[in-house]
C-alpha cells in the first residue's frame, strides 16, 4: 500500500450490517489494543494540563466505543479527588450496550447514542476523541474541529494514529501475536493507512479556521495528537 496518499477504504467495523456480537468482540479487542499501545496516555496527559487546579470538570468523549477512555478518565479524576461529569456520544447504537457492560456499576458515565453536533451548547469544559479522526473524511473532520473549538471552554484533544510506514509494517505482527479479532487485525492496518500526517493536519486546521491555535504533536508510539488549550 502506498502510504504517501491517505487511504479512503472503508473499515469492516464501520459496516452498518456488522452483527452486534461481532461488533462487541471487536470493541473489546480494541480496548486491549489501546492498553498494549498506551493509547490513553496522551489524553490523560492533556487532561492534567487542561483541568489544572479545577476541582470539577465536564467532558465529552466523541466516539467512545467500549468506553475504555472514559473509564480511564473516571479513575484518573477519582484518584485526584476531582469531580468529573463524563459524557460519551457514539453514532453506533451497539456501543452503548457494550460500554455499559464493561463499566463498573459504581462508575457514573453518561453513554449516549447520536450525533455530537446535537450537543452544541451543552456546556463542556473539555472535548476529546481517541482513535476516531481517521474514520472521518476531511470535511467531516473540519466540522468536528469547529465544533470542539466552539464548545470546549478549557480545551480539546484529538488523539489519533500517525500514518507511518513502521507502524503499518509492524502492526500485523503485534496483532497476530496478541490473537486479536480478525477484523481488528485487518482494520488496524487500514486505520494506520487512513490516518493523517502532520502536514495534512496543519492544512485541515487552517481550512477549519483554527490554524496555529492548536498544536500537532507526536506521541509514542506512532501517535499524532492535535491539542488546543485555552
Amino acid at each position: 500500500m502506498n502510504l504517501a496518499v491517505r487511504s479512503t477504504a472503508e473499515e469492516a467495523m464501520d459496516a452498518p450490517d456488522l452483527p452486534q456480537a461481532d461488533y462487541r468482540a471487536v470493541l473489546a479487542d480494541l480496548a486491549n489494543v489501546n492498553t498494549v499501545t498506551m493509547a490513553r496516555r496522551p489524553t490523560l496527559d492533556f487532561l492534567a494540563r487542561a483541568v489544572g487546579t479545577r476541582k470539577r470538570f465536564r467532558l465529552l468523549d466523541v466516539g467512545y466505543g467500549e468506553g475504555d477512555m472514559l473509564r480511564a478518565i473516571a479513575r484518573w479524576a477519582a484518584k485526584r479527588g476531582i469531580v468529573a461529569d463524563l459524557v460519551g456520544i457514539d453514532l453506533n447504537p451497539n456501543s452503548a450496550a457494550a460500554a455499559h457492560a464493561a463499566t463498573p456499576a459504581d462508575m457514573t458515565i453518561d453513554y449516549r447514542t447520536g450525533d455530537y453536533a446535537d450537543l452544541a451548547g451543552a456546556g463542556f469544559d473539555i472535548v476529546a476523541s481517541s482513535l476516531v479522526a481517521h474514520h472521518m473524511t476531511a470535511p467531516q473532520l473540519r466540522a468536528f474541529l469547529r465544533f470542539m473549538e466552539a464548545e470546549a471552554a478549557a480545551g480539546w484533544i484529538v488523539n489519533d494514529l500517525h500514518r507511518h510506514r513502521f507502524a503499518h509494517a509492524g502492526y500485523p505482527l503485534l496483532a497476530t501475536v496478541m490473537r486479536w479479532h480478525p477484523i481488528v487485525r485487518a482494520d488496524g492496518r487500514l486505520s494506520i493507512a487512513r490516518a493523517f500526517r502532520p502536514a495534512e493536519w496543519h492544512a485541515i486546521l487552517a481550512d477549519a479556521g483554527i490554524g496555529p491555535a492548536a498544536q500537532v504533536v507526536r506521541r509514542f508510539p506512532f501517535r499524532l495528537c492535535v491539542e488546543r488549550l485555552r
Side-chain angles (χ1 to χ4, degrees):
M1 184 177 290
N2 179 15
L3 295 182
V5 178
R6 179 182 179 245
S7 174
T8 57
E10 296 293 330
E11 296 187 34
M13 74 168 293
D14 292 331
D17 59 348
L18 183 67
Q20 182 177 3
D22 289 341
Y23 183 72
R24 292 183 70 164
V26 167
L27 290 186
D29 269 0
L30 286 175
N32 292 329
V33 173
N34 291 342
T35 298
V36 171
T37 62
M38 300 176 287
R40 303 178 194 102
R41 186 173 62 179
T43 299
L44 295 177
D45 288 347
F46 173 82
L47 190 63
R49 288 179 277 128
V51 171
T53 59
R54 290 178 175 85
K55 294 304 179 182
R56 65 185 309 133
F57 66 92
R58 179 168 164 81
L59 177 143
L60 173 65
D61 181 18
V62 177
Y64 57 80
E66 201 194 35
D68 56 294
M69 186 73 253
L70 283 167
R71 289 191 293 276
I73 293 171
R75 296 186 193 100
W76 179 91
K79 184 178 180 180
R80 290 159 178 77
I82 300 173
V83 177
D85 180 5
L86 303 178
V87 179
I89 189 78
D90 198 299
L91 284 171
N92 195 314
N94 293 323
S95 293
H100 278 297
T103 301
D106 61 348
M107 187 177 285
T108 304
I109 299 174
D110 184 1
Y111 294 116
R112 305 183 188 183
T113 300
D115 190 332
Y116 69 82
D118 294 335
L119 297 178
F124 293 104
D125 298 301
I126 300 163
V127 180
S129 74
S130 182
L131 303 174
V132 172
H134 64 269
H135 290 270
M136 299 180 180
T137 64
Q140 288 172 336
L141 193 51
R142 285 194 292 271
F144 181 45
L145 290 169
R146 292 183 184 117
F147 170 87
M148 291 190 293
E149 181 68 8
E151 300 298 327
W156 52 262
I157 179 171
V158 173
N159 177 349
D160 206 54
L161 300 167
H162 183 185
R163 193 172 79 247
H164 196 289
R165 65 181 184 276
F166 290 153
H168 190 260
Y171 177 82
L173 177 60
L174 175 63
T176 299
V177 170
M178 299 302 295
R179 302 178 67 182
W180 287 324
H181 192 284
I183 289 178
V184 176
R185 298 187 198 186
D187 275 5
R189 202 172 195 216
L190 179 55
S191 291
I192 295 168
R194 285 183 57 95
F196 297 91
R197 287 180 169 172
E200 294 165 343
W201 269 117
H202 286 299
I204 291 171
L205 287 165
D207 288 345
I210 298 170
Q215 290 187 315
V216 181
V217 294
R218 301 185 187 210
R219 303 292 186 196
F220 178 85
F222 304 112
R223 288 277 182 277
L224 272 184
C225 293
V226 185
E227 304 175 354
R228 168 75 156 113
L229 280 174
R230 301 292 186 188

